[in-house]
Amino acid sequence: MQRREINLRHGWRLKLFDESSAWLKGFDDSSWREISVPHDFAVEAPFSKDRSSGSGYLPGGVAFYRKSFLLPEEARGSRIILVFDGAYKRSKVWFNSYYMGFHAYGYTGFSYDLTGLACFGDELNVVAVRVDHRDEADSRWFAGSGVNRKAIVAIKGQVSLDEHGVIISTKGRIVRVQANLSNHLAVCVDASIKHAVLSLDGHEAASIESVIALAEGSSSSLMEIEAAEASLWSPETPTLYKLVTEVSSKDGILDHVETIFGFRDACFDKDKGFFLNGRSIKIKGVCVHHDAGVLGSAAFKEVWRRRLLKLKEMGANAIRCSHNPHMPELYDLCDEIGFLVMDEAFDEWEGVKNKWVKGHNVYPPSHDGYYEDFPQNYDKDIASMVMRDRNHPSVILWCIGNEIDYPNDPYCHPSFLEIKGNNDKNKPANELAYDPQKPNAKRLPVLAKMLKEAVRRHDATRPVTSALAFPELSNTTGFAQVLDVVGYNYKEQLYIEDHKKHPQFIILGSENGKDLPQWQAALENDFISGQFLWTGIDFLGETAGWPCHGSESGLLDTAGFEKPDYYFRQSLWSHNPALKLFACLDGCDSPLRSKGLATSWNFPQGEIVRVVAFTNTLDAVLELNGDPVSASPVRDELNQFLVWRIPFEPGVLKVRSESCGIEDRLKTSAGAVKLSINIIKGSVKADEFDICQAEIIAVDNEGFRDSSCEFLVRADATGAGVLLGIDNGDLWDATEFSSNAKRLNCGRMIAYVASSGKKGPIELAVSSPRLGVAKVLLESV
């Protein structure tokens, strides 16, 4: 039979408590709340100063999820597999009252074979999942809580390809395919395996077929296919193909699997950096955490699509998955849109890191974390990440850890009696000193070798890296020598010296600041493959203190809107002409601070205003009410943007580049008069893991956004939809995420709407006492 999937999207029941008998199939859950997955119960709670600052002042806890579903009678005799893309964390799963297993890590997927326990026809099946996140301060950032990624049931034949059983690697236009199969029958099956390479529009580029005798148990097949006319994948031209793998016998098709992939060659050179398809490419990367603002860790593919498209427009070509494997849909998007990916496994190994609970570097910290589960589970979690992601052309690096060598957290070494790390502001002196009672950093190369071997068991085609916080030590302990690519976090000043000291090292900026010198250190040294900025997007947790509930380090805010620093980076990275205008009263904070600059031309008459233009053009001219501004701009030598200081006069301020034919403008406004809704995605698939997005904007009587508007706005979804949340991108706004009313930030916010599980129209209505009501029709299909 051909395989099929059942999405377990809707109809789950949730209870936030620990119920000793909720695992039983016949347990009465009728009083429990009905929810859909992915689901994060942490963001349904109010912010509380009593919670951990590291996790964004949101709670953890224990929860039970239950889901009833039917399996068709024709599936009887098939293999039935329950698949979770992730659940945070320490999940226990029961199926029809049978205990299936335990999965500790909240960021990797897991599956259970339900064959022999499943019911068919009209008899219900029941899945019960218990998640345990009582140690809510177990992470340095917001982790989320619950069944927060996709869940499905896979139905396939007794002779079938294994989960992640099609393994693809490419060299030029040759694709090497390994197929791992299982025969659960008691007899040998004579079968054929056919692989066909198709373009996404269905044109066959090449194919190959082979006969194989499938004995009971596991078998494997290895073939090579040349597609001489295939286009190569790259960030500029992310051409994808579909590998259709079909297993058949004299009785018909046994299994059919389609795998998206791309033809590409990637390599790193110790002297010349990174090459893709024989061409030198400088990595322009950003680090991203897994949360989606108001949605918490229950993110959706379309949310990430909007974010990635904006980062692409900025000029970025790479993503670092900080500091854990992300939802699988993110990697699909990176393949499709054209991003290189550093796929990362862990932030913590067996040595526990400090987790700040009362504000950054405020003692005492928490010492919960993955270290408790690492010794028993690292191999399984590495396998889950690598096996899931190894067919993605976007993935170019396996990162086994982030800042595992951070000084004195907890590893240290007597060769450094005192050391200050890159994030140690205000730490007490005793916390910077060598402590012989703490674990010795000589342990790290042993663990790194162990993890590298775990990666190699499942993929030998990509290099292994780790993001080092303390290469001054790790280069001497042997940690760096284990790595294929050595990641340096905030150590640009060591690049040239360490390239001379360790000429065999391939060095990459794995985490970097956003100022021009950090970029120049990568741009001007061929041996540096590139950089990954901290961060691409604001994220929840890792906050300095109450009431801020996240990190404002991003180029986009949590709502996916561009911050001023986004446009500075665009002026450095984009190959297209870039020009963006901002203004603020003279003497305000640094122009790169999001709260300093505004897209507004409303100031007191005669006040001196600082006008800033981020641009990569060479002939930007400023005009006020049609007249050239006589004051000459200053091109800041450190950050390369144009600055004018001029007295405010109401009207239209415009900057333009004659040679590039582009302009940007600010105008004096009498203020917002109404709400406008910009639909990003207006339809949602009822039975799939899908979402609608709509930007809510306060506009003046000419339709321009009033960036100073902070009016309270309410959002409601009726019909066949449900409002998942509204996000204004302001991490200092402690309004509950579950509230459907928030104030606008910079005159805007975004609304997320999902299907209720039914088909039909969805009305999204937004209202404000000062701005009236606006409505749009969405659709659940």
Side-chain angles (χ1 to χ4, degrees):
M1 65 168 292
Q2 293 194 42
R3 66 174 62 202
R4 58 171 293 197
E5 292 182 356
I6 298 174
N7 287 335
L8 302 184
R9 170 80 170 101
H10 301 291
W12 288 80
R13 297 280 181 170
L14 168 70
K15 190 73 171 181
L16 300 180
F17 79 134
D18 201 4
E19 168 59 60
S20 61
S21 56
W23 55 273
L24 287 167
K25 178 178 179 178
F27 179 84
D28 182 7
D29 59 17
S30 60
S31 64
W32 291 17
R33 182 159 63 96
E34 185 171 341
I35 58 97
S36 300
V37 300
H39 179 263
D40 184 347
F41 65 78
V43 293
E44 297 179 338
F47 297 102
S48 171
K49 193 176 182 179
D50 296 330
R51 300 292 185 185
S52 166
S53 61
S55 54
Y57 299 108
L58 290 167
V62 175
F64 254 103
Y65 291 79
R66 289 171 56 88
K67 166 68 178 173
S68 300
F69 64 95
L70 297 172
L71 288 169
E73 185 63 41
E74 56 267 27
R76 190 182 296 275
S78 304
R79 309 300 300 179
I80 312 296
I81 313 297
L82 176 62
V83 182
F84 291 92
D85 286 347
Y88 204 92
K89 66 173 191 175
R90 291 186 174 171
S91 64
K92 293 181 178 179
V93 177
W94 292 262
F95 177 70
N96 290 343
S97 299
Y98 294 95
Y99 179 61
M100 304 307 299
F102 170 78
H103 189 79
Y105 200 31
Y107 296 112
T108 50
F110 52 97
S111 62
Y112 299 108
D113 191 340
L114 310 181
T115 307
L117 304 176
C119 302
F120 302 90
D122 295 331
E123 188 174 353
L124 283 173
N125 296 278
V126 178
V127 174
V129 183
R130 180 186 184 272
V131 294
D132 185 353
H133 190 198
R134 285 173 293 181
D135 55 344
E136 60 189 54
D138 64 330
S139 174
R140 297 185 302 112
W141 60 88
F142 173 83
S145 300
V147 181
N148 54 0
R149 293 184 182 172
K150 184 171 83 265
I152 65 165
V153 171
I155 304 170
K156 58 183 184 176
Q158 295 291 347
V159 178
S160 58
L161 291 152
D162 296 343
E163 184 179 10
H164 310 306
V166 177
I167 306 168
I168 295 171
S169 60
T170 63
K171 186 70 174 177
R173 291 172 174 82
I174 296 174
V175 57
R176 185 174 186 266
V177 186
Q178 179 177 327
N180 296 331
L181 306 96
S182 293
N183 177 7
H184 294 276
L185 301 175
V187 297
C188 181
V189 175
D190 292 325
S192 68
I193 302 177
K194 180 181 179 180
H195 301 294
V197 176
L198 307 180
S199 63
L200 294 190
D201 61 7
H203 173 74
E204 183 174 303
S207 66
I208 193 171
E209 189 169 2
S210 178
V211 175
I212 185 172
L214 300 174
E216 182 180 4
S218 298
S219 299
S220 182
S221 163
L222 185 63
M223 297 185 226
E224 285 190 354
I225 314 168
E226 183 174 8
E229 303 300 320
S231 298
L232 300 181
W233 183 95
S234 71
E236 296 79 16
T237 56
T239 305
L240 294 172
Y241 290 85
K242 181 190 299 182
L243 181 77
V244 177
T245 301
E246 200 163 81
V247 183
S248 59
S249 71
K250 60 182 177 59
D251 297 320
I253 296 174
L254 301 174
D255 203 0
H256 176 103
V257 170
E258 297 181 358
T259 308
I260 302 297
F261 77 104
F263 291 93
R264 62 103 174 113
D265 289 331
C267 67
F268 289 83
D269 183 272
K270 62 185 178 63
D271 296 314
K272 297 182 180 180
F274 176 68
F275 287 79
L276 187 68
N277 304 325
R279 185 170 63 91
S280 175
I281 290 182
K282 194 66 76 171
I283 293 172
K284 303 173 182 177
V286 295
C287 304
V288 294
H289 271 294
H290 71 299
D291 75 78
V294 68
L295 301 177
S297 60
F300 287 81
K301 182 176 183 177
E302 291 306 313
V303 175
W304 275 107
R305 182 188 300 278
R306 175 172 171 263
R307 291 171 158 195
L308 290 178
L309 286 172
K310 290 191 175 191
L311 292 172
K312 184 83 169 183
E313 180 69 20
M314 184 189 72
N317 63 11
I319 294 294
R320 177 185 171 204
C321 296
S322 307
H323 298 293
N324 46 262
H326 284 222
M327 61 187 289
E329 293 84 355
L330 175 66
Y331 304 84
D332 296 336
L333 286 169
C334 289
D335 291 345
E336 174 189 336
I337 297 171
F339 279 94
L340 306 167
V341 175
M342 181 193 295
D343 207 357
E344 191 156 296
F346 307 120
D347 186 58
E348 188 170 75
W349 296 349
E350 66 181 21
V352 60
K353 287 184 175 181
N354 292 329
K355 318 296 189 314
W356 306 113
V357 295
K358 298 298 182 184
H360 187 68
N361 287 345
V362 178
Y363 283 79
S366 161
H367 284 135
D368 294 318
Y370 179 70
Y371 79 98
E372 300 174 58
D373 301 308
F374 175 86
Q376 292 78 32
N377 293 283
Y378 77 88
D379 190 62
K380 178 174 69 173
D381 291 325
I382 286 283
S384 177
M385 176 184 77
V386 175
M387 292 172 69
R388 186 195 71 176
D389 298 337
R390 61 192 169 192
N391 290 336
H392 287 283
S394 57
V395 176
I396 59 169
L397 283 163
W398 303 117
C399 182
I400 55 176
N402 171 64
E403 296 192 343
I404 306 297
D405 62 339
Y406 197 93
N408 301 317
D409 192 19
Y411 295 95
C412 57
H413 193 271
S415 60
F416 287 86
L417 298 181
E418 183 177 292
I419 185 66
K420 192 169 187 177
N422 60 55
N423 208 12
D424 281 351
K425 184 179 179 181
N426 301 325
K427 268 192 179 180
N430 65 300
E431 294 294 334
L432 305 176
Y434 168 67
D435 183 351
Q437 302 305 314
K438 288 184 174 182
N440 193 301
K442 286 186 176 180
R443 172 69 172 160
L444 295 179
V446 177
L447 297 173
K449 184 178 180 182
M450 185 174 74
L451 289 164
K452 183 178 179 180
E453 290 171 352
V455 171
R456 287 284 178 262
R457 282 193 282 275
H458 305 286
D459 181 52
T461 69
R462 294 170 176 85
V464 171
T465 188
S466 186
L468 303 182
F470 196 13
E472 298 96 321
L473 176 61
S474 294
N475 292 348
T476 67
T477 61
F479 185 2
Q481 285 78 359
V482 173
L483 306 172
D484 302 312
V485 174
V486 186
Y488 275 34
N489 282 13
Y490 307 102
K491 295 293 181 179
E492 295 87 357
Q493 73 275 14
L494 299 180
Y495 286 172
I496 294 175
E497 178 186 352
D498 282 8
H499 182 56
K500 293 176 181 177
K501 282 184 181 178
H502 308 282
Q504 77 279 19
F505 283 6
I506 297 171
I507 302 175
L508 169 67
S510 45
E511 192 170 310
N512 305 84
K514 301 192 190 77
D515 287 335
L516 182 62
Q518 287 95 323
W519 173 234
Q520 288 175 322
L523 191 63
E524 296 172 1
N525 292 293
D526 289 344
F527 63 90
I528 299 297
S529 299
Q531 67 171 192
F532 287 89
L533 301 179
W534 189 259
T535 59
I537 307 168
D538 289 351
F539 60 93
L540 303 181
E542 201 168 359
T543 178
W546 180 264
C548 183
H549 51 270
S551 169
E552 298 179 285
S553 60
L555 300 165
L556 302 175
D557 63 25
T558 57
F561 292 117
E562 301 89 339
K563 296 162 69 173
D565 206 3
Y566 170 99
Y567 296 100
F568 167 56
R569 186 57 44 176
Q570 186 179 53
S571 74
L572 293 180
W573 280 1
S574 178
H575 295 298
N576 299 318
L579 185 59
K580 187 66 178 178
L581 195 61
F582 291 91
C584 63
L585 283 175
D586 199 27
C588 72
D589 290 340
S590 165
L592 291 187
R593 292 195 55 179
S594 294
K595 293 185 177 179
L597 296 177
T599 53
S600 171
W601 191 239
N602 285 68
F603 299 97
Q605 181 71 39
E607 287 280 354
I608 300 300
V609 178
R610 180 163 58 182
V611 178
V612 176
F614 298 115
T615 183
N616 54 13
T617 67
L618 300 177
D619 61 344
V621 175
L622 189 69
E623 297 176 353
L624 179 57
N625 295 325
D627 297 323
V629 171
S630 58
S632 298
V634 175
R635 182 173 285 273
D636 184 280
E637 289 299 324
L638 178 64
N639 285 316
Q640 288 200 334
F641 47 81
L642 300 178
V643 180
W644 294 263
R645 286 176 171 84
I646 60 175
F648 173 74
E649 178 184 324
V652 177
L653 184 72
K654 181 170 69 174
V655 65
R656 61 183 176 83
S657 166
E658 196 73 38
S659 63
C660 297
I662 58 173
E663 65 176 46
D664 192 30
R665 64 177 61 197
L666 306 177
K667 64 178 287 291
T668 304
S669 171
V673 297
K674 64 179 181 179
L675 292 169
S676 175
I677 302 176
N678 176 32
I679 299 175
I680 304 300
K681 183 175 181 293
S683 65
V684 58
K685 295 179 180 178
D687 298 324
E688 297 188 16
F689 301 89
D690 200 7
I691 194 170
C692 292
Q693 302 176 84
E695 295 175 348
I696 303 166
I697 307 166
V699 298
D700 64 15
N701 54 14
E702 295 182 48
F704 290 95
R705 175 169 60 94
D706 178 5
S707 63
S708 65
C709 184
E710 296 184 349
F711 292 155
L712 188 71
V713 172
R714 175 188 173 100
D716 294 283
T718 55
V722 58
L723 180 72
L724 294 184
I726 50 177
D727 197 336
N728 62 9
D730 183 0
L731 290 168
W732 292 83
D733 182 352
T735 305
E736 294 180 17
F737 276 159
S738 58
S739 173
N740 67 340
K742 287 188 177 72
R743 63 172 182 81
L744 296 169
N745 177 35
C746 297
R748 62 195 177 188
M749 64 172 57
I750 192 163
Y752 299 117
V753 178
S755 171
S756 63
K758 301 176 182 178
K759 295 182 179 181
I762 304 168
E763 182 181 84
L764 174 65
V766 295
S767 60
S768 169
R770 302 282 294 274
L771 301 175
V773 179
K775 298 179 180 180
V776 293
L777 276 180
L778 310 172
E779 189 176 11
S780 174
V781 296

